Amino acid sequence: MPELPEVETVRLTLLEGGLQGLVITGVRVAHPDAVHWPDPQRFRLELAGRRIEGIGRRGKFLLIDVGKRTLACHLRMTGRLWLSRPEEPELSHTHVVFDLSDGRELRFRDVRRFGGFTLLEPDGSMAPDLLERLGPEPTDLTGDEFAAGCLRHTRSPVKALLLDQTFVAGLGNIYADEALHRARVHPARTCGSLSKQEQRAIRRAMRAVLRDALSHRGTTFLDFRDGSGEPGAFQEFLDVYRREGLPCRRCGAPIAKSRIAGRGTHFCPLCQPEGG
DNA sequence: CCAGCAGCCTGTGCGC
DNA sequence: TGCGCACAGGCTGCTG
């Protein structure tokens, strides 16, 4: 489940791998589901011959600048995008391969086929759907914006707010749970019940856990790999996610798991009391 | 408008 | 040992 730190790690490792400046000499689409826009035929024609000018990120979207256009990629649950030598055997579920001018390939694989590519139109007509609805990056989220989000979703659990990409862009299930544990706020607390201090604590915890995760090149349980095919290491440092029954690193109480905001949710019943 | 949930998809791991 | 099913979750779209 690539979230902001994982997508940023992919971005950085693609840059380190020298993707910038290469020309896309060919595009092979093995599974049309992975190309969300336009149709695969036009997708190939529009991208062939284009030079990769830069690689950016917005929320969980990877944004590959190919000149007049931007190729947006979302990894969703199991997507991988990495630089590969052509002689390396093709993994199953490899849906799109970009041939590059230095002889290498940029490969996209996605077991669950949730992820894929959108080629943004030069007039920006595709961007409103994808990018303009996104909330601020977690580092840019202000206290006022946090308060406004709480006001708009007073009856929702705070976990749902952190997962709402129009509120803040980049958190997923892992880092929502981790941020709330660091902030000592129960994930089922309603947004309307949060004090100013709690809002501030969540905002700080969110930034801190994302920074720490990025410094360990993301979290890998099964699927995540960076732009050079390597796993991350932050799974060793998680406090609550996937630690049901294990002792809380802060107080020793067993970590609990329940279903909140429709998601498997991990928390410490002692550090994060339901009553607040 | 807001809140909650089905559905998309496939591999994994559990119970029987 | 093998089968069936629940589960994992980002996001869209539907419903109440």
Side-chain angles (χ1 to χ4, degrees):
Chain A
M1 36 236 98
E3 306 178 26
L4 191 152
E6 288 76 27
V7 179
E8 182 65 11
T9 300
V10 171
R11 188 182 79 83
L12 294 172
T13 48
L14 288 178
L15 284 171
E16 288 162 13
L19 180 60
Q20 192 169 0
L22 299 181
V23 172
I24 299 170
T25 55
V27 182
R28 286 171 280 155
V29 179
H31 204 303
D33 278 6
V35 177
H36 299 156
W37 180 269
D39 61 274
Q41 166 83 349
R42 254 191 69 205
F43 185 79
R44 283 197 299 270
L45 290 173
E46 297 278 4
L47 284 170
R50 295 212 180 251
R51 183 173 179 270
I52 294 169
E53 308 287 353
I55 310 162
R57 180 192 58 76
R58 180 74 176 88
K60 300 175 197 171
F61 284 95
L62 203 63
L63 300 173
I64 302 173
D65 177 358
V66 290
K68 270 184 287 192
R69 286 167 171 256
T70 299
L71 178 60
C73 177
H74 202 304
L75 304 173
R76 295 284 186 115
M77 303 293 305
T78 52
R80 289 190 199 175
L81 187 70
W82 78 106
L83 282 163
S84 179
R85 304 263 164 209
E87 63 268 20
E88 286 171 37
E90 193 165 282
L91 293 176
S92 57
H93 307 287
T94 298
H95 303 318
V96 182
V97 176
F98 301 90
D99 299 308
L100 301 168
S101 50
D102 69 347
R104 288 184 296 170
E105 298 174 349
L106 182 65
R107 297 183 181 180
F108 175 77
R109 98 175 284 234
D110 187 2
V111 170
R112 282 181 222 177
R113 289 201 272 127
F114 282 9
F117 296 92
T118 302
L119 185 60
L120 301 178
E121 299 291 340
D123 64 3
S125 62
M126 292 301 294
D129 281 348
L130 272 190
L131 303 178
E132 287 174 18
R133 287 169 50 197
L134 292 178
E137 293 288 312
T139 42
D140 297 334
L141 181 71
T142 66
D144 286 347
E145 285 170 331
F146 201 107
C150 289
L151 223 55
R152 202 156 68 86
H153 299 282
T154 34
R155 295 166 55 81
S156 285
V158 61
K159 166 139 183 190
L161 184 68
L162 297 189
L163 293 175
D164 180 355
Q165 303 297 300
T166 69
F167 168 69
V168 63
L171 275 82
N173 209 36
I174 297 175
Y175 299 116
D177 283 2
E178 293 296 315
L180 289 170
H181 179 260
R182 287 194 187 202
R184 308 190 189 215
V185 172
H186 193 287
R189 289 277 306 284
T190 61
C191 297
S193 76
L194 297 173
S195 70
K196 268 279 177 276
Q197 288 91 332
E198 287 170 325
Q199 293 182 21
R200 183 176 158 78
I202 295 167
R203 214 155 48 85
R204 292 168 65 97
M206 196 173 68
R207 288 195 298 254
V209 73
L210 294 173
R211 182 200 61 216
D212 292 351
L214 179 60
S215 76
H216 288 95
R217 308 166 75 83
T219 299
T220 296
F221 280 111
L222 204 61
D223 291 289
F224 172 67
R225 294 292 186 279
D226 68 20
S228 54
E230 297 298 317
F234 195 63
Q235 62 278 3
E236 296 166 38
F237 303 94
L238 295 173
D239 287 335
V240 287
Y241 187 81
R242 281 235 194 161
R243 294 195 68 244
E244 183 185 11
L246 296 174
C248 172
R249 300 191 201 278
R250 190 189 291 138
C251 76
I255 298 301
K257 183 181 180 186
S258 70
R259 206 160 184 84
I260 296 168
R263 296 280 170 257
T265 301
H266 312 72
F267 58 95
C268 171
L270 254 60
C271 293
Q272 300 163 269
E274 183 131 32

